[in-house]
């Protein structure tokens, strides 16, 4: 970019999907919370931030993620946040299809969660402005030149911050004052910046995190967007470079620009990239600065935050409070939407309305300055946001010339440009008053604001920044106070075996001219000396000129699943050149042993139905192992072969297994009857287990067993006949009949025996078993018959049933098999004969001689024969009457008669 070129950058807002109660986190100043303009905010749709309370263990946090099926994207391991006793903060990645709101609602109800909120997209606060600054003057650094002219001709502007008067008085800053630039990156080699860029003396470039802050080789700061140590990547890092030039561009070198401070040390905390940044990374960036101050005693007086967007973030608010507790001011751009922030909130600027009076969870003063923008004519910039209750002061922000990449310069406009004027002024004040507190520095800046009509009623002070007036503020306490000692909380995963160290850091509020010593000693809280850790006592020495000293407490590792355990370290007996501020710290031995999540199962149950009334199927839900808190699970019945209403009562509800127990029961009511029927079944299904358990076996079958007995079916066998045939064999087929079908197959034994038929000659003796299949009523078996040509009478055999199976009885046990004769004898012709007869003739008259004709055997039809008399010794006519005729012997008879 060419020198003098005007740069236009968009500033975005991001949608807020959820707000949280501010009283959870405390505040630093009691002001009215403006209404959030939801229509102008945006969130990262598949990420949320979750803050846990101190002591919430890894197992519980992992279980919460597992139950919602989300992933841990990152843990916000800000060393400063942990030192101040805050619990873990997690950046959660949501699966495709899961709404941001669903995850927020779910996590906010989980045990140990302090708050859950969106991860907002935020961007730098520079906007377009048609004003093109062509004369190259730094009007924002100028003053009124009254009563005495300062600087060369043409460097007069009453709406500048009058830095030139401070320079003229020899106030050009100090390298021992540190400022954090939370922004895009900075071109650290820019000729107007290179002398004022921080080089980390605690972490050599060797691939090792020598200072233990979690960032390897953070030589000039850290890139929180890319998570590396390169704080300058391309010309896209122009915004941070421009801000740096206003705060600490090298003055008096005859080239380029001059910042408010000609001497200062600037640290880059890059978290904005081409597409902006996130609140998660902003939290890391601010905590990084706080950690540098508390860990190494660096005099970090302020962070510059020329960016905005997103909704209220409790996570970011907490980071700002941690900075305030460490005596670091957070200077924030009011925003470029031209809105009244009292009614349409702009974050993080509006955090100024949320930070409040002294509480146990907040600092004891307001830690934020929100900055509006003025143009060179003293008017509020057309783009600038404002707010009597939410914006503190105005400063030059339109047509501001400063450094940009490629060793050049450009004019930018925006509240982004106004903010570094205030941040630079804070650093300049701190260089003059090294013992001043953050609260005193803030008060001086706001109390000395020059009244300005264009911002009257639009900012808290009704005025604009005047650094020269602030430098002459009479409220500073110039009497040095002894530095105070404090000790920070530490946590450490215990490990599964061996030992590790809890490293405690004792921090001096500022370096002392001589060594500072203080005694320390451990004591039990919930951790037990010897078992969980090695009791320790001794003396820490902080060398002259330094601000920190450390000592270790040895932790014993084990594989026992347990809650986090704590010990206390107490400082005492400080040397005379220091006082003890924070005398105690907690060492937390965090449990890193994860117990398996217990699983729920439900078992099958059976119950005889009974003949009347009701009874219960008692189902047992079993937990694979006892849980520390009660476990609940829903249950509901559904039909299989049983019907709700007639066979059982449909049921649903919740089973609770108390903490420490492994079983819970529920009943399903069974209706009794006297109907003979098959066993009937229903299903029970488990669902919706509480977060501390999973469901293993989700269904079970309830069987209502039939206890009504039907009369046993009876077996019978029928007679059979069969013509024997002249040769070979044939079969007598006997049928065994069941009086009714049975649910299972029925068997019965059979065997033959002789009647008039002879086994071996007339038939083949047989025995065996007949099976009648389930659902059928008949079964058959064969008796083999031998054929012959003998004329004989019909012959018979007997079949006898025995040994029926238990599901039937025998009614008709025997049957006759008849082998019918089918052989015919040759026909026989019967013969007739007549027998002699004698008769006394008598003395007179007549009498009859009765002759009998006899048939040798009866015939099937009547037989006739003729007869006739003839003389022998008797004479026809004299002795007898000659006769002839026919004799008939009826069918079936053998005799017939006639008379002579």
């Amino acid at each position: 970019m060419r020198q003098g070129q005007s740069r236009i950058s968009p500033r975005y807002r991001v949608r807020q999907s959820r707000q949280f109660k501010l009283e959870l986190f405390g505040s630093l100043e009691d002001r009215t919370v403006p209404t959030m303009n939801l229509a102008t905010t945006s969130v990262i749709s598949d990420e949320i931030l979750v803050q846990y309370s101190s002591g919430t263990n890894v197992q519980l946090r992992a279980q919460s993620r597992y139950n919602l099926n989300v992933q841990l994207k990152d843990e916000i391991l800000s060393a400063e946040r942990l030192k101040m006793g805050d619990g873990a903060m997690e950046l959660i990645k949501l699966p495709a299809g899961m709404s941001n709101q669903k995850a927020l609602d779910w996590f906010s109800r989980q045990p140990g969660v302090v708050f859950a909120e969106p991860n907002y997209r935020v961007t730098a606060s520079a906007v377009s402005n048609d004003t093109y600054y062509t004369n190259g003057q730094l009007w924002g650094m100028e003053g009124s030149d009254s009563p005495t002219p300062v600087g060369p001709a043409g460097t007069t502007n009453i709406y500048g911050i009058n830095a030139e008067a401070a320079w003229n008085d020899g106030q050009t800053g100090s390298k021992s004052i540190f400022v954090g630039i939370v922004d895009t990156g900075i071109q650290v080699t820019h000729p107007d910046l290179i002398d004022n860029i921080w080089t980390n003396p605690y972490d050599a470039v060797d691939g090792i995190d020598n200072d233990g802050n979690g960032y390897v080789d953070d030589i000039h700061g850290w890139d929180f967007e890319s998570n590396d140590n390169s704080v300058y990547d391309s010309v896209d890092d122009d915004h941070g470079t421009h801000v740096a030039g206003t705060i600490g561009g090298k003055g008096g070198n005859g080239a380029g620009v001059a910042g408010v401070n000609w001497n200062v040390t600037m640290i880059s905390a890059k978290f904005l990239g081409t597409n902006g940044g996130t609140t998660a990374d902003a939290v890391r960036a601010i905590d990084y600065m706080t950690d540098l101050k508390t860990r190494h005693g660096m005099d970090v007086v302020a962070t510059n935050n020329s960016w905005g967007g997103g909704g209220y973030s409790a996570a970011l608010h907490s980071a700002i409070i941690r900075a305030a507790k460490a005596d670091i001011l957070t200077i924030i751009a009011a925003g470029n939407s031209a809105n009244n922030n009292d009614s349409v909130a702009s974050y993080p600027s509006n955090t100024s309305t949320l930070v409040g009076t002294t509480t146990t969870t907040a600092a004891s003063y307001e830690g934020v300055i929100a900055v509006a923008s003025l143009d060179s004519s003293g008017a509020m910039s057309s783009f600038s946001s404002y707010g009597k209750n939410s914006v503190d002061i105005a400063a030059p922000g339109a047509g501001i010339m400063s450094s940009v990449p490629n060793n050049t310069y450009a004019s930018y406009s925006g509240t982004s440009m106004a903010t570094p004027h205030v941040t630079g002024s804070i650093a300049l004040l701190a260089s003059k008053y090294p013992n001043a507190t953050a609260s005193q520095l803030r008060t001086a800046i706001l109390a000395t604001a020059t009244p300005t009509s264009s911002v009257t009623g639009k900012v808290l002070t009704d005025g604009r920044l005047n650094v020269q007036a602030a430098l002459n503020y009479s409220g500073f306490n110039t009497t040095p106070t002894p530095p105070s000692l404090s000790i920070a909380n530490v946590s450490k995963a215990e490990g599964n075996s061996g030992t590790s160290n809890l490293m405690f850091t004792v921090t001096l509020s500022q370096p002392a001219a001589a060594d500072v010593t203080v005694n320390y000693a451990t004591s039990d809280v919930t951790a037990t000396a010897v078992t969980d850790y090695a009791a320790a006592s001794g003396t820490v020495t902080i060398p002259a000129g330094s601000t920190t000293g450390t000592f270790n407490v040895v932790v014993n590792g084990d594989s026992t699943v347990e809650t986090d355990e704590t010990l206390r370290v107490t400082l005492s007996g400080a040397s005379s050149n220091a006082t003890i501020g924070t005398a105690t710290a907690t060492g937390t031995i965090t449990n890193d042993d994860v117990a398996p999540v217990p699983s729920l199962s439900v078992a099958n149950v059976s119950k005889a139905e009974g003949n009347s009334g009701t009874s219960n199927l008692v189902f047992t839900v079993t937990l694979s192992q006892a849980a520390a808190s009660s476990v609940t699970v829903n249950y509901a019945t559904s039909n299989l072969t049983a019907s709700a209403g007639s066979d059982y009562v449909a049921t649903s509800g919740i089973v609770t297994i108390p903490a420490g127990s492994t079983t819970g029961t529920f009943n399903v009511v069974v209706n009794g009857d006297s109907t003979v029927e098959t066993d009937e079944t229903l299903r029970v299904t488990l669902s919706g287990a509480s977060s501390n358990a999973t469901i293993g076996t989700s269904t079970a079958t309830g069987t209502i067993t039939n206890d009504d007995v039907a009369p046993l079916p009876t077996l019978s066998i029928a007679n059979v006949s069969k013509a024997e045939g002249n040769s070979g064999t044939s079969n007598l087929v006997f049928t065994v009949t069941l009086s009714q079908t049975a649910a299972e197959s029925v068997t019965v034994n059979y065997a033959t025996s002789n009647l008039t038929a002879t086994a071996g000659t007339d038939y083949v003796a047989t025995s065996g078993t007949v099976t009648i299949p389930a659902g059928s009523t008949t079964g058959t078996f064969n008796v083999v018959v031998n054929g012959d040509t003998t004329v004989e009478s019909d012959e018979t055999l007997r079949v006898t049933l025995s040994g029926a199976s238990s599901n039937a009885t025998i009614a008709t046990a025997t049957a006759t098999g008849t082998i019918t004769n089918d052989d015919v004898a040759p026909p026989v012709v019967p013969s007739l004969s007549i027998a002699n007869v004698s008769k006394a003739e008598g003395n007179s008259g007549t009498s009859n001689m009765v002759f009998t004709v006899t048939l040798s055997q009866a015939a099937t039809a009547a037989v006739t024969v003729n007869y006739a008399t003839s003389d022998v010794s008797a004479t026809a006519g004299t002795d007898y009457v000659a006769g002839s005729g026919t004799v008939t012997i009826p069918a079936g008879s053998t005799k017939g008669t006639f008379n002579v």
Side-chain angles (χ1 to χ4, degrees):
M1 186 174 291
R2 298 188 305 275
Q3 181 170 343
Q5 183 176 351
S6 180
R7 199 289 192 165
I8 302 172
S9 287
R11 177 181 183 270
Y12 304 96
R13 290 180 179 266
V14 295
R15 179 171 296 278
Q16 179 190 29
S17 66
R18 183 179 178 90
Q19 283 189 292
F20 298 88
K21 294 181 180 179
L22 302 180
E23 61 266 30
L24 292 176
F25 317 110
S27 58
L28 299 181
E29 180 175 84
D30 186 13
R31 295 184 182 176
T32 303
V33 181
T35 302
M36 188 67 194
N37 183 356
L38 299 180
T40 63
T41 59
S42 166
V43 301
I44 300 174
S45 62
D46 60 349
E47 292 179 4
I48 65 168
L49 286 167
V50 179
Q51 173 71 59
Y52 286 91
S53 60
S54 178
T56 304
N57 63 37
V58 174
Q59 178 186 3
L60 185 59
R61 290 189 280 132
Q63 187 63 55
S64 294
R65 297 193 303 273
Y66 175 83
N67 288 340
L68 191 60
N69 191 29
V70 297
Q71 300 296 318
L72 176 64
K73 181 175 181 180
D74 200 0
E75 186 169 355
I76 313 301
L77 294 172
S78 304
E80 185 57 34
R81 183 174 54 76
L82 297 177
K83 280 194 295 185
M84 290 192 174
D86 288 355
M89 180 182 291
E90 296 181 343
L91 179 60
I92 302 296
K93 178 74 172 177
L94 309 184
M98 181 178 290
S99 73
N100 194 278
Q101 190 64 53
K102 174 182 177 181
L104 290 171
D105 290 344
W106 195 89
F107 268 103
S108 67
R109 299 192 301 269
Q110 300 312 300
V113 172
V114 176
F115 63 80
E117 65 181 23
N119 190 20
Y120 293 105
R121 179 72 65 186
V122 296
T123 55
S125 296
V127 298
S128 62
N129 188 307
D130 293 336
T131 303
Y132 186 79
Y133 189 74
T134 59
N135 60 15
Q137 294 178 329
L138 297 176
W139 74 268
M141 303 294 175
E142 297 171 3
S144 65
D145 285 340
S146 176
T148 303
V150 176
T155 60
T156 302
N157 190 310
I158 64 172
Y159 299 108
I161 68 172
N162 206 15
E164 61 183 7
W167 302 336
N168 193 55
D169 288 343
Q171 301 297 327
T172 57
S174 167
K175 289 290 186 68
S176 64
I177 301 300
F178 296 82
V179 172
I181 299 178
V182 182
D183 208 291
T184 68
I186 301 172
Q187 185 198 341
V188 295
T189 59
H190 194 290
D192 251 348
L193 304 178
I194 189 169
D195 287 345
N196 288 337
I197 296 297
W198 178 61
T199 298
N200 188 351
Y202 309 107
D203 195 356
V205 182
D206 57 4
I208 300 171
D209 180 17
N210 296 284
D211 59 359
N213 67 349
Y215 304 102
V216 177
D217 297 348
D218 49 328
I219 190 66
H220 298 304
W222 193 258
D223 181 347
F224 294 90
E225 182 203 28
S226 300
N227 199 32
D228 60 36
N229 69 345
S230 176
V231 297
Y232 179 75
D233 296 314
S234 70
V235 293
D236 288 333
D237 288 322
D238 56 335
H239 191 272
T241 303
H242 195 279
V243 165
T246 299
I247 295 171
K250 191 68 175 178
N253 61 357
V257 296
V260 179
N261 299 268
W262 295 2
N263 299 288
V264 71
T265 302
M266 296 180 287
I267 308 167
S268 177
K270 177 180 177 179
F271 88 107
L272 294 171
T274 304
N275 297 316
T278 70
T279 52
D281 288 340
V283 169
R284 290 187 180 92
I286 292 173
D287 276 343
Y288 177 81
M289 297 298 171
T290 306
D291 179 66
L292 287 177
K293 183 166 190 175
T294 59
R295 182 188 294 264
H296 301 301
M298 294 165 48
D299 196 7
V300 180
V301 296
T303 61
N304 190 92
N305 300 269
S306 292
W307 49 272
Y312 168 71
S313 167
L316 186 57
H317 189 176
S318 297
I320 291 170
I321 289 174
R322 288 190 290 273
K325 287 181 176 181
D327 234 28
I328 300 174
L329 292 171
T330 304
I331 317 303
I332 307 176
N336 301 322
S337 60
N339 287 328
N340 184 343
N341 288 356
D342 290 353
S343 55
V344 183
S346 173
Y347 288 102
S349 170
N350 269 62
T351 307
S352 173
T353 67
L354 307 175
V355 210
T357 56
T358 304
T359 69
T360 57
T361 58
S364 58
Y365 68 99
E366 168 67 271
V368 171
I369 300 177
V371 185
S373 172
L374 289 178
D375 65 21
S376 59
S377 68
M380 176 168 278
S381 300
S382 60
F383 53 77
S384 179
S385 295
Y386 57 93
K388 179 65 174 177
N389 295 312
S390 54
V391 180
D392 297 295
I393 196 169
I400 303 302
M401 183 67 72
S402 188
S403 51
V404 293
N406 292 333
N407 303 332
T408 57
Y409 305 87
S411 173
Y412 288 2
S413 296
T415 54
S416 281
M417 285 59 254
T419 304
H421 284 87
V422 175
T423 304
S425 296
I426 293 291
L428 196 62
L429 276 177
S431 69
K432 182 177 180 181
Y433 302 104
N435 295 319
T437 65
S439 178
Q440 290 173 329
L441 295 173
R442 181 180 188 275
T443 298
I445 289 291
L446 300 186
T448 58
T450 301
T452 306
S453 60
S454 66
V455 298
T456 299
K458 293 186 175 182
V459 298
L460 180 69
T461 59
D462 292 332
R464 67 182 187 270
L465 175 65
N466 186 333
V467 66
Q468 176 67 355
L471 287 166
N472 294 321
Y473 179 62
S474 61
F476 287 111
N477 177 11
T478 58
T479 302
T481 58
S484 64
L485 292 157
S486 61
I487 184 169
N489 298 331
V490 181
S491 64
K492 176 73 177 179
E494 66 180 358
N496 293 329
S497 61
T499 60
S500 57
N501 289 324
L502 277 168
M503 178 182 287
F504 286 88
T505 298
V506 179
T507 301
L508 198 60
S509 58
Q510 62 189 48
D515 291 353
V516 172
T517 60
V518 65
N519 301 325
Y520 66 88
T522 59
S523 59
D524 293 350
V525 181
T526 60
T528 304
V530 179
T531 304
D532 300 312
Y533 72 99
S537 62
T539 301
V540 175
T541 298
I542 300 175
S546 182
T547 56
T548 58
T550 61
F551 64 90
N552 293 332
V553 175
V554 176
V555 173
N556 299 320
D558 63 45
S559 57
T560 304
V561 178
E562 55 199 339
T563 59
D564 293 347
E565 299 165 316
T566 56
L567 59 96
R568 178 178 290 114
V569 171
T570 303
L571 301 181
S572 64
S575 54
S576 59
N577 57 338
T579 61
I580 297 177
T582 303
T584 62
T586 299
T588 301
I589 305 170
T590 58
N591 174 59
D592 54 4
D593 302 299
V594 180
V597 177
S599 64
L600 293 156
S601 60
V602 61
N604 298 333
V605 182
S606 63
K607 175 75 177 177
E609 65 181 358
N611 293 328
S612 61
T614 60
S615 58
N616 289 324
L617 279 167
V618 180
F619 287 87
T620 299
V621 179
T622 302
L623 197 60
S624 59
Q625 63 190 50
S629 58
S630 61
V631 172
T632 60
V633 66
N634 302 324
Y635 66 86
T637 58
S638 59
N639 294 342
L640 289 176
T641 60
S643 297
S646 56
D647 300 315
Y648 72 98
V649 179
T651 307
S652 63
I654 297 174
V655 174
T656 298
I657 300 176
S661 182
T662 58
T663 59
T665 62
F666 63 92
N667 296 334
V668 176
V669 176
V670 173
N671 299 319
D673 62 43
S674 57
T675 303
V676 179
E677 56 199 337
T678 58
D679 293 347
E680 297 165 317
T681 56
L682 59 96
R683 175 178 289 124
V684 167
T685 302
L686 302 182
S687 64
S690 52
S691 60
N692 55 339
T694 61
I695 297 177
T697 303
S698 61
T699 62
T701 298
T703 301
I704 306 170
T705 58
N706 175 60
D707 54 3
D708 301 300
V709 180
L712 292 177
T714 59
L715 293 158
S716 60
I717 187 168
N719 297 332
V720 181
S721 65
K722 174 73 177 180
E724 66 181 358
N726 292 328
S727 62
T729 62
S730 58
N731 290 323
L732 278 167
V733 180
F734 287 87
T735 299
V736 179
T737 302
L738 197 60
S739 61
Q740 63 188 50
T741 58
E744 298 177 348
S745 62
V746 173
T747 61
V748 66
N749 302 325
Y750 65 86
T752 58
S753 60
N754 294 342
L755 288 176
T756 61
T758 302
T761 304
D762 300 313
Y763 72 96
V764 178
T766 307
S767 64
T769 301
V770 175
T771 298
I772 300 175
S776 183
T777 57
T778 59
T780 62
F781 64 90
N782 297 332
V783 176
V784 176
V785 174
N786 299 318
D788 62 39
T789 57
T790 303
V791 177
E792 54 197 341
S793 59
D794 292 346
E795 299 166 315
T796 57
L797 58 93
R798 178 179 288 121
V799 171
T800 302
L801 301 181
S802 65
S805 54
S806 61
N807 55 339
T809 61
I810 299 173
T812 303
T814 63
T816 300
T818 303
I819 306 169
T820 59
N821 175 61
D822 55 1
D823 301 304
V824 180
V828 177
V829 178
S831 61
L832 292 162
S833 62
I834 188 167
N836 295 329
V837 178
S838 65
K839 175 72 175 177
E841 65 181 350
N843 293 323
S844 63
T846 62
S847 61
N848 289 322
M849 294 184 76
V850 179
F851 286 91
T852 298
V853 179
T854 301
L855 197 59
S856 61
Q857 63 185 52
T860 59
V863 173
T864 61
V865 65
N866 298 324
Y867 67 87
T869 61
S870 61
D871 293 346
V872 178
S873 62
T875 302
T878 302
D879 299 312
Y880 71 96
V881 179
S884 63
T886 303
V887 175
T888 299
I889 301 173
S893 180
T894 58
K895 293 184 184 295
T897 63
F898 61 91
N899 297 331
V900 176

